[in-house]
Amino acid sequence: MPDERVKDTTPLTADVAVVGYGPVGRLLALLLGRSGRRVVVVERQPQAYPLPRAAHFDDEIGRILQSVGVSPDSIPDVVEAYDDLYEWRAADRQPLLRLDWRGLGPSGWHVSHFFHQPSLESILDAQVQALDSVEVLRGWTAVAHTDGPDAVSLELRSATDERRSVSARYVVGCDGANSVVRSWIGTEATDLGYFHDWLVIDLLMHGALKEPVFSPPAWQLCDPVRPTTLVPGGPGRRRFEFMRLPTETAEELNDEAVAWRLLEPWGIGPGQAKLERHAVYTFQARWCDTWRRGRLLLAGDSAHLMPPFAGQGMCSGMRDAVALAWRLDLILDGRVAADTVLDSYGPERAEHVRHFIAASMALGEVICLSDPVAAAERDRALQADLAAGAESPPRPLPRLGPGFHREDTGGGLLSIQAAVTNGRRTALFDDVVGPGGVLLMADPGLREWLRPEDTALLDDLGWQVVALAAEPTAGEVVDTTGAYAAWLAGLGAVAVLVRPDLYLYGAAADPADLTGLLDHLHAALGRPATADR
């Protein structure tokens, strides 16, 4: 049912208005709301969308979910960790390509998880609804905006033609591929001209199927007769995707009878599964050139689209939300950071997402061949590489684009998460120390190099100072696995400054460089440098 609160037509004021309430909008609203920011969410759908869309997230998103109290292992009925090869096979079922994305990733969670999106969204929604600082307006559409010197005024319209307004200091469009906020910004897009139609089918399984059908559980059938994707869709669910052939129309393919016919060779019929969804999607590859104009910003599918073959579409949007949330929180504080901190958001994220788009397209080039001659040439080349012992293509772990970090010292790289102990608890770093920004030092003695102005700055930011020690004491942790010592050594660093979005602001090569790193942070925030204070 629509939220009863929307019957009140009083103008609303907010720190941030979030347009769109998918996983990206929910995460952004949750992060800002927990920081005490007043958030109004505008969602045109009167009820939550009940069908799956995204089905995969990686270890970095697992860590982000951990930070809001929804760690992947806490919801086994929604999320299943994946620990097998991801294979690409020819029409005769012989392997062409093996992606070895097994085990734990650098963020401390499995590299791959499959999940049921409506269930995860419901969990995030419950956490948002528990916050007094966030109001979710369902059944309302943002139809116009007016830029002001200190705020943006949104005009909202309901399905019954009621009117309402929201005044917000910032507006973030998390409203998908047809984003109205993007149209207000007026940005051009870098479009790579990638267009493939696929029929996406989601199934709720009634019982176990024969193991050979799904061994490994996630794979791609690179058959030019019908390129096909087979992956889990979360616990008890399966997803199939069938590429539209040149001889078909999207309308012909998007038919329930066609869905069952395509599933029949896999031993699946109404007796084995419930058809939850069938829909034809056009896989695309593009990103916006401008992610911000004044007080208007973009995140998620409103800013970028990519093929699903690397499972990074929703992941990239959730990274956007985290990258934006901590910036907005600091700016809204009014004393910690200047508005210019938002200028780095788009360049950082656009460059980062470009790498995932490229990786997804490269994988798509393997499977999206309907010409048998071209497919035969592909098969010969890839199988020759496998026979020669070619390694699995690396999982993309790109660096952020130029922005709010010191690039010459590890800035823009993803930080790691491993187990530590503080003497009371042994667990993953964020569970012991807490989420958020942190200055991590290799030795407690480095604290002596922190000046009063450095400590004051980190306190203002809400970023912690944590040192690795041989024995746990106040403010220090023990590196129980040696992972942090190895990571710092690989960076050639005695300390690293980790932003709240898990990416490095920079690394210090020695104690003196720690001073330079913190001076760089002072300046980047729009605060006076040490020499000027």
Side-chain angles (χ1 to χ4, degrees), residues 88-372:
W88 302 63
R89 295 177 176 177
D92 61 3
R93 307 301 197 266
Q94 295 303 304
L96 297 173
L97 186 68
R98 291 190 177 100
L99 302 182
D100 191 359
W101 295 350
R102 295 177 290 185
L104 299 180
S107 295
W109 295 96
H110 277 272
V111 167
S112 292
H113 299 81
F114 288 94
F115 74 106
H116 184 238
Q117 182 176 339
S119 298
L120 180 61
E121 288 190 357
S122 177
I123 293 169
L124 293 174
D125 176 60
Q127 300 215 26
V128 170
Q129 296 289 355
L131 297 171
D132 292 336
S133 58
V134 181
E135 182 162 6
V136 179
L137 302 179
R138 284 196 172 278
W140 291 86
T141 301
V143 295
H145 82 290
T146 302
D147 293 319
D150 302 311
V152 176
S153 178
L154 295 182
E155 180 185 336
L156 311 183
R157 183 179 300 165
S158 74
T160 57
D161 209 33
E162 295 174 277
R163 302 301 176 96
R164 192 163 197 183
S165 63
V166 177
S167 177
R169 292 178 63 185
Y170 293 93
V171 175
V172 183
C174 303
D175 48 341
N178 298 314
S179 169
V180 66
V181 179
R182 185 178 65 240
S183 72
W184 296 340
I185 290 176
T187 177
E188 298 293 325
T190 296
D191 195 319
L192 301 181
Y194 183 98
F195 299 98
H196 287 285
D197 290 341
W198 285 69
L199 174 65
V200 179
I201 298 173
D202 285 294
L203 301 167
L204 178 62
M205 308 307 299
H206 295 328
L209 294 176
K210 294 180 180 179
E211 182 63 22
V213 175
F214 303 132
S215 180
W219 55 288
Q220 302 279 346
L221 176 61
C222 304
D223 184 350
V225 173
R226 179 71 73 180
T228 302
T229 297
L230 308 84
V231 295
R237 290 178 161 85
R238 296 291 309 180
R239 169 168 291 181
F240 281 78
E241 296 173 357
F242 299 96
M243 194 179 88
R244 182 180 65 82
L245 302 179
T247 56
E248 299 171 317
T249 67
E251 292 73 22
E252 290 170 342
L253 190 59
N254 191 22
D255 181 87
E256 183 173 339
V258 172
W260 286 119
R261 176 172 58 79
L262 291 172
L263 291 168
E264 186 176 352
W266 301 95
I268 300 175
Q272 291 74 40
K274 175 185 177 182
L275 184 63
E276 286 196 306
R277 179 186 71 146
H278 64 91
V280 173
Y281 283 84
T282 301
F283 297 163
Q284 300 183 54
R286 70 170 190 243
W287 64 89
C288 288
D289 300 334
T290 301
W291 294 41
R292 178 198 182 195
R293 182 177 65 78
R295 296 179 180 275
L296 302 175
L297 300 116
L298 300 175
D301 285 357
S302 66
H304 47 76
L305 294 172
M306 68 185 72
F309 304 113
Q312 288 295 323
M314 185 198 75
C315 295
S316 294
M318 295 184 91
R319 293 185 189 98
D320 298 343
V322 180
L324 199 49
W326 69 266
R327 284 176 164 90
L328 286 170
D329 183 45
L330 293 185
I331 293 166
L332 291 166
D333 185 89
R335 64 187 179 87
V336 178
D339 178 83
T340 52
V341 169
L342 284 173
D343 292 341
S344 60
Y345 164 69
E348 280 188 2
R349 295 297 309 132
E351 175 69 14
H352 195 260
V353 79
R354 183 180 66 80
H355 289 281
F356 284 111
I357 291 174
S360 299
M361 288 182 62
L363 292 173
E365 288 174 2
V366 176
I367 190 174
C368 295
L369 284 179
S370 57
D371 179 83

